[in-house]
Amino acid sequence: MPASATATAFQQCLHPDCRRTYGVEETLTACPACGNLLDLEYDWNRVPVPKSLKEFEARWSTRRNPLDCSGVWRFRELLPFAKDADIVTIGEGQTILQSSAAVGKFVGMNADRLFLQYEGLNPSGSFKDNGMTAAATHARMVGAKVAACASTGNTSASLAIYASTARIFRVVVFVGSGKIAYGKLSQALDFDARTLQILGDFDDALERVREVAGARGIYLCNSVNPFRLEGQKTIMFRILEALAWEPPDWIVVPGGNLGNSSAFGKAFAELKKLGLIDRIPRLAVINAAGANKLHRLYEHQKLRWNDGRTDDAMIESFYATMTNEKRRASTLASAIEINRPVNLKKCLRALEVCDGVVREVSDQEILDAKAQVGAGGFGCEPASAASVAGAKLLRDQGVIAPSDRVVCILTGHQLKDPTATVAYHSADAALFAEKLGPHGVTTAPFANRPVVVENNLQKIIEALEV
Ligand code: F0G
């Protein structure tokens, strides 16, 4: 009998014809038997689960305990794979849900129906910290000395901050050359991560880091690591908490490597199974049009989860055509500039669980939505604004009703990518043309142009009066 058969938490292959299980003490990023993705599963009959989500509110009064302060670990009964003593936390998940009247109006919602979930408020400035705390915890459980990831920037910033603060492992990050926003690169460097700029894009970097991790026994922290996705489930728990445990009608999230959407679907499936919610929100995953593999596979080719028996031949031939035609992802939303989303199958399952839809939005729509989030909220990086642009599109199409309660996930902080923001608002036509033009952005209807004024009191006062 494998150790996993008697454990309360174990890893399990998602393919229905395989379903092999592995213990949590193993470091795996795919099923060794069949190569499919692994899930973390629990024997829910043997772990203490609250009778009602409201019970988690008791943790608000014990916030001196770092585990109760963490926005991830105060829900630890819903991701019960680690002993308290093993948990690595840096105070992640102190993020908030806010209703935004201005952004709601832009999207076309009735008053108080549009909410923004600011994951940019995490320690490293993106949602990745929700997952990285879980991966770092597992890395400690298995005694990892070196951890690595490939990244479009945020995963590397997150892994680097956990390494620099927790100091339990060293870290190597692989980034694509010229493909990473400066805010993110500066974080990896400043947090002292060994940073390899691969002469290629994100997909190349991910392929290489997987090989290196396998060859050198390095702990891999990309979202193929099933532990990471357990942490990302808690974004949904916090949204439910902010809405007094009443599920919204829609969750709208940008789609890149599809870890978030996968984790959200798993969170809702588990909550429903445990009887902790009675209704599952619908999920909208939004691709950038320049990196739209999920959109094409799901909406055009009608690829479905199909109880785990996905049409792999269709996926392979789709990717082969892409390679033959030398089509590579290209979007200003560099965080989601991804060719082959590794969590595709888990995302298909989430779309099934949540009666989901997939849409694509142009870089123009993304930057316009981003400017609206900045003017009517805390701001976000370009990839994050895909959620708001996607909500607007679904509203325009009548898929989202104006009276629905909609939560857009803002995955990363505004300061992650100042280049795109400044180019959009700037009055410098050459900068606009250089940075945004190649991505089909031709106008900036919501630009807030800086005003150039002579160094003269009278002129400044005149400028104020305009
Ligand atoms: N938004 C931001 C700001 C991101 O950094 C990412 C992914 C996504 C959305 C997409 O999320 O992969 O769960 O669908 N960034 C990864 C990285 C790829 O390396 O930082 P997903």
Side-chain angles (χ1 to χ4, degrees), residues 127-128 151-155 255-260 335-336 338 381 383 411:
F127 75 91
K128 301 285 178 182
S151 183
T152 56
N154 282 325
T155 305
N257 234 350
L258 307 178
N260 258 342
I336 51 176
I338 289 171
E381 67 164 283
T411 46

Side-chain angles (χ1 to χ4, degrees), residues 75 78 233-241 245 267 271:
F75 299 105
L78 299 175
K233 292 191 308 193
T234 65
I235 302 171
M236 294 302 104
F237 305 156
R238 295 198 297 274
I239 288 173
L240 290 175
E241 181 180 54
W245 311 111
L271 291 180

Side-chain angles (χ1 to χ4, degrees), residues 126-361:
S126 87
F127 75 91
K128 301 285 178 182
D129 298 348
N130 293 286
M132 207 54 75
T133 182
T137 296
H138 185 242
R140 173 188 269 180
M141 285 164 63
V142 298
K145 295 283 174 285
V146 185
C149 70
S151 183
T152 56
N154 282 325
T155 305
S156 50
S158 181
L159 178 57
I161 200 176
Y162 277 87
S164 68
T165 52
R167 309 202 80 83
I168 49 177
F169 45 71
R170 286 185 298 116
V171 58
V172 191
V173 305
F174 288 47
V175 298
S177 272
K179 295 281 183 182
I180 176 170
Y182 261 26
K184 307 174 189 182
L185 180 60
S186 66
Q187 289 180 289
L189 299 175
D190 209 38
F191 293 134
D192 203 26
R194 187 157 182 80
T195 304
L196 304 187
Q197 289 192 280
I198 307 295
L199 299 175
D201 58 17
F202 170 78
D203 294 76
D204 299 320
L206 184 57
E207 241 178 278
R208 296 293 86 73
V209 78
R210 288 183 86 157
E211 290 164 2
V212 171
R216 303 299 297 266
I218 292 173
Y219 188 88
L220 188 64
C221 291
N222 282 98
S223 53
V224 286
N225 176 332
F227 292 87
R228 241 194 65 185
L229 298 192
E230 289 306 289
Q232 287 172 218
K233 292 191 308 193
T234 65
I235 302 171
M236 294 302 104
F237 305 156
R238 295 198 297 274
I239 288 173
L240 290 175
E241 181 180 54
L243 295 174
W245 311 111
E246 174 67 33
D249 297 302
W250 286 92
I251 299 287
V252 190
V253 65
N257 234 350
L258 307 178
N260 258 342
S261 43
S262 301
F264 298 173
K266 186 170 189 282
F268 287 123
E270 288 173 352
L271 291 180
K272 186 86 194 322
K273 183 173 165 186
L274 293 169
L276 292 170
I277 52 171
D278 52 15
R279 187 170 60 78
I280 293 180
R282 295 191 68 187
L283 180 67
V285 184
I286 314 298
N287 272 167
N292 61 353
K293 303 310 165 312
L294 178 69
H295 181 249
R296 291 182 54 196
L297 282 166
Y298 188 77
E299 297 290 347
H300 295 188
Q301 311 238 33
K302 304 292 176 205
L303 178 70
R304 290 294 181 271
W305 168 241
N306 194 27
D307 289 329
R309 293 190 176 80
T310 48
D311 185 344
D312 294 355
M314 179 200 281
I315 301 172
E316 278 320 307
S317 94
F318 178 82
Y319 284 150
T321 310
M322 220 174 76
T323 309
N324 291 340
E325 293 175 1
K326 295 198 169 43
R327 269 194 275 120
R328 300 300 280 182
S330 173
T331 167
L332 271 169
S334 58
I336 51 176
E337 191 176 56
I338 289 171
N339 291 293
R340 297 181 182 216
V342 294
N343 289 299
L344 175 64
K345 290 186 184 178
K346 286 186 177 177
C347 177
L348 292 172
R349 182 176 62 187
L351 288 164
E352 168 93 21
V353 165
C354 303
D355 187 16
V357 298
V358 181
R359 290 292 183 273
E360 61 176 351
V361 289

Side-chain angles (χ1 to χ4, degrees), residues 74-89:
R74 63 192 154 89
F75 299 105
R76 55 195 175 277
E77 285 79 3
L78 299 175
L79 52 152
F81 68 85
K83 295 198 297 286
D84 284 5
D86 282 330
I87 290 174
V88 179
T89 174

Side-chain angles (χ1 to χ4, degrees), residues 13 57 65-67 79 111 169 176 209 231 256 313 362 370 392 405 429 439 441 460 464:
C13 175
E57 292 174 17
N65 174 355
L67 302 193
L79 52 152
F169 45 71
V209 78
S362 68
K370 190 180 106 56
K392 179 170 165 46
R405 282 215 303 185
H439 292 280
V441 180
I460 291 172
L464 292 179

